[in-house]
Amino acid sequence: MLSISPDSLARSSLEEMLDSLRRRDENEKQKDMPPPLPARPKATSRARLPSAKRPLPTSSGIGESEKAQTPLACSVQKEDLKRVRRKSFGTKKVKEMGPGEAPYIMATSPEMGHKPKSEEKDTAKLANSPPAAVPRFRVSQGGDNLEYFIKKKLSVWCRLHNGVWESGQIQSTSGEKASVLLSDGSVVTVPTQELLPANPDILEGVDDLIQLSYLNEPSVLHNLHYRFSQDILYSKAGPVLVAVNPFKDIQLYGDDFITAYRQNLLDSPHVYAVADAAYNEMMTDGINQSIIISGESGAGKTETAKIAMQYLAAVVGGSGGIESQVLETSCILEAFGNAKTARNDNSSRFSRVVQLAKGERSYHIFYQLCAGAPSGLRGRLRLKRACDYTYLNQSDCLVIHDVDDAHKFHMLMGALDTVRICRHDQEQVFEMLAAVLWLGNISFRVIDHENHIDVVADEAVSNAACLIGCGIQDLILALSTHSIQAGKEKVAKRLTLRQAIDTRDSLAKFIYGSLFDWLVEKINLSLATGKQHTGRSISILDIYGFESFKRNSFEQFCINYANERLQQHFNRHLFKLAQEEYELDGIDWTKIDFEDNQDCLDLIEKKPLGLISLLDEESKFPKATHLTFAMKLKQHLKANRCFKGERGGAFSIRHYAGEVLYETGEFLEKNRDALHSEIVQLLSSCTACQLPQWFASVLEQSEKLASSSFQLRRPAYQKQSVSTKFKGQLFKLMQQLEGTTPHFIRCIKPNNKQIPGAFEKDLVLEQLRACGVLEVVRISRSGYPTRMTHQEFTRRYGFLLPENNACQDPLSMSVAILQQFGILPEMYQVGYKKLYFRAGQIGSLEDVRKQVLQGTLELQKCFRGHRARQYFNELKEGVVTLQSYVRGEIARKECNALLRLKEQVACKKLNLDKQLTAVVQIQSVIRGWLVRRRSSHVRNSKQSNVSKRKPGRRISEVKDLPPEMLPAVVEELQKRVVMAEVALGRKERENAALREQVQQFEARWLEYESKMKSMEEMWQNQMASLQMSLAAARKSLIADNTIGQPGKHQDAQSPRFYDSEDMYLGPQTPDATTPPMRYLNNGIESAAGGDKNGGHDPVSPLVKEFEQRKRNFDDEVQAMIEVKSGHTPSLNPTEEVRKLKHRFEVWKKDYKFRLREARAKAQRMGHAEDEKHRRNWNGLRGPQSRFGLC
């Protein structure tokens, strides 16, 4: 660390180091020498070495271990990648300020020091000199260039006698006179002092005024006029954007332009470009940003702010959520804070409630509410037309051309919903607005010669009291009387007419002002989530512009004072800070003069003899008038060059934008803005509405906090003066702006009549002079917008040097880097702490750095790729080896499992074969028993038939019966026929039941078949590996089954006749799923007997056919059972069952039909031959009773 001691003042180590550097450079004999490093300044100069508390840098922040690393290794560290801040005019230190303090008093850093006395004297002389003696700018290139233009007879700018600049060409010169040919063809003779160089045609209409070869007023004005005529509204003046109001719609905005500027596809000057720069710096540097939009009233500040908000909302997320809320706040703040003036239809106003000038309107919200409120809301608010309210109709201006107030009100309602202000709060807001309007309609009646008044009790009083939420008598009492504290008692004093009107107007202004504050607080709470998430913000300042009318009062004074403070902020960041930093860092710099408005600010706000202090002091005297106030101003402020007393109680102030004449007639009344204690108590007592109570509570809290700074005998609820409150709010705003990085937009009004395309050069030139555009361009051209400390520079670019220079101190490394890459000496300067570069010079270093980093990244990429591939191959080999072991183990486990499964299947198969053999044996025994049982039953039936036949009569005996017994015999036969029919019907029902059972069995068959298929599939999957071993077992099983097949056929063809109530199951499978078959108890023998009894019996053939069909069906069923048991796997059991069912149905229908014919034929035969019928009856009954089919 270097330190300056008394012993080393003669020659410091810094100077020794610089001398060694110079000697080394001289030995190398380089051609392009950098500018000399700063020498030790003299004691009287403002540029000096840093104090002992702030030594020069001795290290670049890289440790000893890091110095041994290669430059490439050092370049990739994150801390070395700090972003270069461009177009910034130096860092600033902002200290905390108390309320009421000026925002710049504490801003000067300790190292800046104070001006030398000689410089203070020069400043004092300059302040006392007349304004005309202060040059606004100095012509670039000096007089030599002008002599060159005169000699070569080139194009110049010529100022005529009326002060207008015209372009022309020099024709001839004679001493101090020159003949100039103007563009209109006329020739004028002017002094050479009235000539200025003109820029070549190739520079006509450039984007940035810095690009002009000759910077002077006519050149700048012509460039703006040329671009304006091409509908190009935006130009750059260094870091400032100049925006000219076109007074018409131009296609320069929208989503396409937003995307183009966001993706850097367009680089022309635009509000979008400024907003994008602010957003990028906020996200990169983590510093709050501000966009300050200034200009005269009507210059387009509000629309410019909307455009910036539109871009930021689109960049951070589109039109939803917090972004849409930000856009909608513009609609709300315009309605409640803007009004129509003589110069601007949408001007930001300071106070515009109770008094209006001719041709002006009050705040937009009043007219929008009267025009657009729905019928239900109008009824609750007791609204009338705007022309019916005194506060609105006094200016004879109720509408704005091409503006629909009703539509604006509907847009306002949507905006309030977007920022999440509930309907209940919205209705309260509208109630307060209507209350303000009705307060203006309250009138007073003079009751005595002392001008005391009474309030006229009309609808205005009742409506205002109802909307505020207080009693009518309470409101009347508050507006007509005032309580005075007399000892321990309060005495009510009746107000005069002037006092009553002031009290009414003060109440109206207080309600509206408090309502606006409440609304802003609600909006800020709604938008607070975005700042909580990011911790950073971009502030967009759109404040009322500079005003100068024929009659200027207290409102214009406050507005112009705010603009003076903003101009000081502008000067501070673009002029003062930059030049002070240049001088303090010891670089070679010629100071550029600019119009400083500090004298004007001192005139207004300096204590104790500033204009605001004198105004507050005079406002405390009850008998003070505007004349006494004007006399006090002349007495105390006449020494300030910016103040001038006028006749009739007026005064003028020379502002940065021009001189303004103010009338003091209403200064005292508007500054007092008295609000009696009765009014505050009235608002506190309101119960129907919450907002008045909130207004009163906020006032009481603010008064308690500020009570210590005022006299103790001040009334309890007297507010601060309006000017003091305004000053405090302005200081708070400037303090907030000081903590941000500013971006400036200067709005220019091309004409006063708001005519599209009109460009008044004198008006535009006056605005350019006022806002200091020419000085900004000059400083930006001759200054050094890019600056970096030596530590930052070496950390960022030190790795570009060879290794032998990497261990030097930061200053030496900085110089070595500049020499290494051939930066021209006039393009930079070396200061004690920083390096200063001209615009665009850092780009070449960035390109080299980018190339080196890109090569480093390519090398690292190749090395890392090689290492990654090597690691991958090793890992792959290990994984393949591991997988082989794992897969082998898995295969062995699966093989063992299959072997165990094979053994289990073989055991199950053996058990199944044993079960099948046992089942077959059991079935054979049961079938044999059933056959034997059925045979014995048949024999018993035959014997019973023989025994029953013996007591009956023979046919011959029936024939021998006498004729009188024949009817009885016939009747008996008929009864038997009837009984046979009944039996036949019963059998039909049994057959129907059998059919239902067959269907059920078929359903069960399908179910069992599906189960068997699933089981077979499972078995097949499990026994796939055992097919070869099971093939031999299957062959042996088939051989065994073939040997036992004749016995089964024998059993299948055995008689199956049994009682009608029994059921025959046939051969059963092991799972007993074979559908049962049911037959009647009549046998073949009965059919054979019927055939023997009569060969011509019509029933006998049917009996034979039935038996034959029965055997066929039995065979087919047996075949299907074998399929079920697995003996014939080639057949499809389901298809066979369907075919069998179909054949059975066809045969049944045919058999039923033929059986009916046979029965009819038998009846006919019975009537024809009774004897024959009796002889053949037994034969007929046998088949019917045995088969019973229909």
Side-chain angles (χ1 to χ4, degrees), residues 67 295 352 391 699 855 914 1077 1135:
K67 291 180 180 179
R352 185 72 69 185
Y391 282 163
L699 177 61
K914 293 180 179 179
M1077 303 298 292
E1135 185 67 21

Side-chain angles (χ1 to χ4, degrees), residues 1147-1164:
W1147 171 80
K1148 185 181 69 173
K1149 292 180 180 179
D1150 180 72
Y1151 189 82
K1152 182 178 180 180
F1153 176 78
R1154 289 186 282 118
L1155 185 60
R1156 290 178 179 175
E1157 288 183 349
R1159 185 175 61 183
K1161 185 176 180 181
Q1163 290 179 353
R1164 289 195 299 271

Side-chain angles (χ1 to χ4, degrees), residues 119-178:
E119 191 168 346
E120 292 179 356
K121 293 180 180 179
D122 295 339
T123 305
K125 293 179 180 180
L126 183 62
N128 295 327
S129 61
V134 180
R136 293 188 175 272
F137 61 91
R138 292 179 297 180
V139 180
S140 61
Q141 309 295 335
D144 295 338
N145 285 329
L146 184 58
E147 293 178 0
Y148 176 79
F149 271 65
I150 294 175
K151 182 179 180 180
K152 295 294 183 180
K153 298 182 180 180
L154 300 176
S155 298
V156 295
W157 291 104
C158 174
R159 182 161 58 184
L160 304 181
H161 300 289
N162 56 3
V164 179
W165 291 95
E166 293 288 346
S167 63
Q169 188 173 7
I170 299 176
Q171 298 294 313
S172 61
T173 58
S174 175
E176 298 296 329
K177 298 287 185 179

Side-chain angles (χ1 to χ4, degrees), residues 8-296:
S8 61
L9 286 176
R11 186 171 183 83
S12 64
S13 58
L14 174 63
E15 293 175 341
E16 294 177 357
M17 178 187 67
L18 297 180
D19 290 341
S20 63
L21 290 175
R22 291 193 189 98
R23 288 193 299 270
R24 186 189 67 180
D25 296 338
E26 291 175 358
N27 294 333
E28 294 178 357
K29 296 182 180 181
Q30 297 182 1
K31 295 182 180 180
D32 296 332
M33 294 293 295
L37 293 174
R40 183 179 182 85
K42 296 180 181 180
T44 57
S45 175
R46 293 185 60 186
R48 59 186 181 277
L49 285 173
S51 62
K53 295 182 179 179
R54 293 170 54 208
L56 288 172
T58 58
S59 65
S60 61
I62 303 175
E64 296 298 332
S65 60
E66 294 176 349
K67 291 180 180 179
Q69 297 178 3
T70 62
L72 295 180
C74 298
S75 66
V76 297
Q77 298 179 1
K78 292 185 178 179
E79 58 270 21
D80 296 340
L81 301 179
K82 186 175 181 180
R83 178 180 176 86
V84 180
R85 293 283 306 279
R86 300 187 182 187
K87 297 183 180 179
S88 174
F89 288 87
T91 58
K92 48 192 175 296
K93 297 183 179 180
V94 182
K95 296 186 178 180
E96 295 294 333
M97 300 184 300
E101 294 183 358
Y104 302 129
I105 294 178
M106 305 296 295
T108 305
S109 56
E111 62 271 15
M112 289 184 179
H114 301 280
K115 293 183 179 180
K117 293 183 179 180
S118 60
E119 191 168 346
E120 292 179 356
K121 293 180 180 179
D122 295 339
T123 305
K125 293 179 180 180
L126 183 62
N128 295 327
S129 61
V134 180
R136 293 188 175 272
F137 61 91
R138 292 179 297 180
V139 180
S140 61
Q141 309 295 335
D144 295 338
N145 285 329
L146 184 58
E147 293 178 0
Y148 176 79
F149 271 65
I150 294 175
K151 182 179 180 180
K152 295 294 183 180
K153 298 182 180 180
L154 300 176
S155 298
V156 295
W157 291 104
C158 174
R159 182 161 58 184
L160 304 181
H161 300 289
N162 56 3
V164 179
W165 291 95
E166 293 288 346
S167 63
Q169 188 173 7
I170 299 176
Q171 298 294 313
S172 61
T173 58
S174 175
E176 298 296 329
K177 298 287 185 179
S179 298
V180 180
L181 175 63
L182 301 181
S183 56
D184 58 359
S186 61
V187 179
V188 295
T189 301
V190 295
T192 55
Q193 292 82 2
E194 302 297 330
L195 299 178
L196 291 176
N199 291 282
D201 295 338
I202 193 174
L203 296 179
E204 191 171 32
V206 293
D207 290 344
D208 196 337
L209 298 178
I210 294 179
Q211 301 174 13
L212 296 176
S213 298
Y214 303 100
L215 182 63
N216 46 55
E217 285 184 352
S219 297
V220 172
L221 187 64
H222 174 72
N223 193 79
L224 294 178
H225 187 197
Y226 178 83
R227 293 174 64 84
F228 181 77
S229 63
Q230 303 294 326
D231 287 339
I232 304 175
L233 310 180
Y234 301 107
S235 302
K236 289 190 66 177
V240 179
L241 178 69
V242 179
V244 184
N245 192 349
F247 295 116
K248 63 180 180 179
D249 293 333
I250 297 179
Q251 300 300 323
L252 290 177
Y253 316 99
D255 296 337
D256 295 338
F257 284 90
I258 291 176
T259 303
Y261 278 95
R262 187 59 187 152
Q263 298 178 357
N264 295 325
L265 301 178
L266 292 177
D267 58 354
S268 57
H270 201 285
V271 179
Y272 289 164
V274 176
D276 185 71
Y279 178 77
N280 291 334
E281 289 188 24
M282 180 190 71
M283 299 303 295
T284 303
D285 303 332
I287 301 176
N288 293 336
Q289 307 289 313
S290 61
I291 300 176
I292 301 175
I293 306 172
S294 59
E296 290 191 4

Side-chain angles (χ1 to χ4, degrees), residues 229 302 393 643 692 1074 1082:
S229 63
T302 301
N393 60 18
F643 177 84
T1074 304
N1082 298 306

Side-chain angles (χ1 to χ4, degrees), residues 438-484:
W438 282 114
L439 283 174
N441 283 11
I442 295 178
S443 58
F444 305 97
R445 180 176 61 252
V446 179
I447 59 174
D448 56 20
H449 64 279
E450 294 182 358
N451 213 21
H452 293 155
I453 55 92
D454 270 343
V455 178
V456 178
D458 55 6
E459 65 170 352
V461 177
S462 60
N463 291 341
C466 179
L467 293 170
I468 294 175
C470 64
I472 298 177
Q473 293 300 323
D474 296 337
L475 180 61
I476 292 176
L477 188 64
L479 294 178
S480 59
T481 62
H482 175 49
S483 297
I484 300 177

Side-chain angles (χ1 to χ4, degrees), residues 554 611-626 628-630 632 664 666-674 710-711 714-715 718-724:
F554 182 72
L611 195 152
I612 293 179
S613 300
L614 296 175
L615 177 61
D616 289 345
E617 180 181 352
E618 194 70 12
S619 299
K620 296 175 183 178
F621 296 103
K623 296 183 179 181
T625 63
H626 68 285
T628 60
F629 172 60
K632 182 173 289 189
T664 59
E666 298 178 347
F667 264 63
L668 296 178
E669 291 78 5
K670 293 181 178 179
N671 185 55
R672 291 189 185 110
D673 198 14
F710 290 90
Q711 297 178 359
R714 180 176 53 86
Q718 181 179 348
K719 295 172 29 177
Q720 295 181 0
S721 68
V722 176
S723 59
T724 301

